[in-house]
Amino acid sequence: MISPQASGAFKAFAESKASSLLLILLWLLAQLIAYLLFGIQTPVDTKEYMTDALSISSGAWPSDHTFWYSGYSSLLALIHWFGAPYEVIIWIQLMASALAAATLYRLAQLWGGESSAFIATLLYIGWLEIHQWTMILYTDSLFTSLIILSVYAIYFSHHHLQYLGAFILILLTAFIRPVGALFLVSLLSAMLFHSSVKTTPVPYRIGIGLIVLAGFLILLNFILRDYVSSFINSYSQAEIIYPGRSILTPPKSLEIPDTDLQPLVRLVSFMVYNPLYFLQLSLIKGLLYLGHVKPYFSIIHNLIIVLSLYPIYYFSIRGWKSVKMNPLKAFITVFISSQILMISFTSENWDGRFLLPVLPWIFLMASIGLSRSFFESE
């Protein structure tokens, strides 16, 4: 246990200006380390974003699966319109990441106090993987940052112009990646716990909830048009980690739904036809996603993950239990749960980047758990 003197000293430091200065210096150091270790990268999918950016610049909006990345491609189109190199997006990602760190600090400060704010931001800065993806011309870093900024914007909007700005930011975020749909559902779910909604009669709240659910299912069915065939193919090959990695053998009696079914019906039919096999696949994928360890990582790499991430999980659960249900807690709960389900129904990626958007919220909850366990009395 931490002594009262040490706890008091830490709390006093967290409340001082020196702690903010230290976090700024550490953030700058993290970017420098990420740049020196990884440099600016443009992986394979980057070409799709650039192609769509050129199409948008000429007035043709993407119509295939890349439509769901059109927010990112639009930013690239804007950069192209100004005649700047596409790598400028890295500077946008850096600025968004810095603002996200400051915003996470503010959210933790309001919810858990100064100690929590310092810890949450320190965890965010200290997780090098976050800054690695900031250096890559991919959607993951910007999506992660914009979610934090969007939640803060909607949480603290008080007049029409602020709400309009928040709406534009949320709309951009939703179209950075296909899982932006889950982000929207999480936000709408959080609104059900807003004080103005909680005072409405229960039948109205149930009705609102059903409308949100129906809207999500319709949107999900629409999104699945571009992905359901690859998902079914992934199941038939027992794919656990994309691309093509598996530790299972699919059963010979595997039943595949007809291709003429609606995408969502086709997906659900596979689950119904092969319940035990699908459950086995989903559990393994979900555990790999949260566990973050991979069979092809080195022992040292996996050990670092276990020794750092798993205690954070423990304190995040303690933090989650210690706070009352409110819109922010509802958002975090639905968002993290939906991300776990999404990976369980699809595949974990080989590089583990799909965990990136949920990590700041896990850090936020862990900071509350840590501060209330060791540094705070509230």
Side-chain angles (χ1 to χ4, degrees), residues 221-254:
N221 185 69
F222 185 67
I223 294 174
L224 281 173
R225 293 187 311 170
D226 297 318
Y227 296 97
V228 69
S229 294
S230 62
F231 290 166
I232 299 296
N233 184 56
S234 169
Y235 301 155
S236 64
Q237 297 177 17
E239 181 181 70
I240 300 294
I241 301 174
Y242 177 84
R245 293 182 180 271
S246 179
I247 57 176
L248 294 176
T249 302
K252 294 180 180 179
S253 59
L254 199 63

Side-chain angles (χ1 to χ4, degrees), residues 122-201:
L122 186 64
L123 290 174
Y124 178 87
I125 293 170
W127 201 262
L128 186 59
E129 201 172 27
I130 290 175
H131 314 297
Q132 173 190 354
W133 284 99
T134 305
M135 302 295 164
I136 301 175
L137 213 156
Y138 249 41
T139 60
D140 301 87
S141 173
L142 192 60
F143 183 61
T144 300
S145 299
L146 289 183
I147 289 174
I148 302 172
L149 296 175
S150 295
V151 170
Y152 183 84
I154 195 68
Y155 201 74
F156 290 100
S157 292
H158 299 294
H159 56 74
H160 296 309
L161 281 179
Q162 288 179 332
Y163 279 116
L164 178 60
F167 175 77
I168 293 171
L169 185 60
I170 289 167
L171 191 63
L172 173 64
T173 307
F175 283 94
I176 295 290
R177 292 185 55 76
V179 290
L182 300 179
F183 160 67
L184 287 178
V185 170
S186 303
L187 271 186
L188 290 171
S189 300
M191 290 176 63
L192 295 176
F193 292 88
H194 193 274
S195 57
S196 60
V197 177
K198 288 173 70 175
T199 56
T200 59

Side-chain angles (χ1 to χ4, degrees), residues 27-280:
W27 186 88
L28 291 171
L29 179 62
Q31 310 317 307
L32 178 61
I33 292 172
Y35 177 74
L36 293 175
L37 287 178
F38 309 109
I40 306 299
Q41 299 179 35
T42 54
V44 177
D45 288 352
T46 301
K47 294 179 180 178
E48 286 191 340
Y49 309 143
M50 292 178 176
T51 300
D52 284 344
L54 291 174
S55 298
I56 292 172
S57 298
S58 62
W61 208 261
S63 58
D64 57 5
H65 72 281
T66 59
F67 170 79
W68 306 107
Y69 300 91
S70 56
Y72 197 76
S73 300
S74 296
L75 290 175
L76 291 177
L78 188 62
I79 292 170
H80 175 74
W81 185 77
F82 278 106
Y86 285 125
E87 285 74 15
V88 169
I89 194 72
I90 301 298
W91 287 103
I92 294 175
Q93 291 173 183
L94 279 167
M95 289 187 290
S97 177
L99 288 172
T103 301
L104 187 67
Y105 181 97
R106 181 60 174 157
L107 287 172
Q109 181 185 48
L110 292 170
W111 208 6
E114 300 292 343
S115 298
S116 178
F118 180 81
I119 294 169
T121 314
L122 186 64
L123 290 174
Y124 178 87
I125 293 170
W127 201 262
L128 186 59
E129 201 172 27
I130 290 175
H131 314 297
Q132 173 190 354
W133 284 99
T134 305
M135 302 295 164
I136 301 175
L137 213 156
Y138 249 41
T139 60
D140 301 87
S141 173
L142 192 60
F143 183 61
T144 300
S145 299
L146 289 183
I147 289 174
I148 302 172
L149 296 175
S150 295
V151 170
Y152 183 84
I154 195 68
Y155 201 74
F156 290 100
S157 292
H158 299 294
H159 56 74
H160 296 309
L161 281 179
Q162 288 179 332
Y163 279 116
L164 178 60
F167 175 77
I168 293 171
L169 185 60
I170 289 167
L171 191 63
L172 173 64
T173 307
F175 283 94
I176 295 290
R177 292 185 55 76
V179 290
L182 300 179
F183 160 67
L184 287 178
V185 170
S186 303
L187 271 186
L188 290 171
S189 300
M191 290 176 63
L192 295 176
F193 292 88
H194 193 274
S195 57
S196 60
V197 177
K198 288 173 70 175
T199 56
T200 59
V202 174
Y204 285 99
R205 279 182 280 163
I206 294 175
I208 294 171
L210 291 174
I211 291 171
V212 171
L213 178 60
F216 171 67
L217 292 177
I218 293 170
L219 179 61
L220 180 61
N221 185 69
F222 185 67
I223 294 174
L224 281 173
R225 293 187 311 170
D226 297 318
Y227 296 97
V228 69
S229 294
S230 62
F231 290 166
I232 299 296
N233 184 56
S234 169
Y235 301 155
S236 64
Q237 297 177 17
E239 181 181 70
I240 300 294
I241 301 174
Y242 177 84
R245 293 182 180 271
S246 179
I247 57 176
L248 294 176
T249 302
K252 294 180 180 179
S253 59
L254 199 63
E255 293 191 44
I256 306 297
D258 294 335
T259 56
D260 58 351
L261 296 172
Q262 284 291 317
L264 183 57
V265 175
R266 191 177 168 196
L267 191 67
V268 173
S269 296
F270 185 94
M271 303 176 194
V272 174
Y273 293 161
N274 312 279
L276 294 179
Y277 171 66
F278 185 81
L279 180 62
Q280 188 180 23

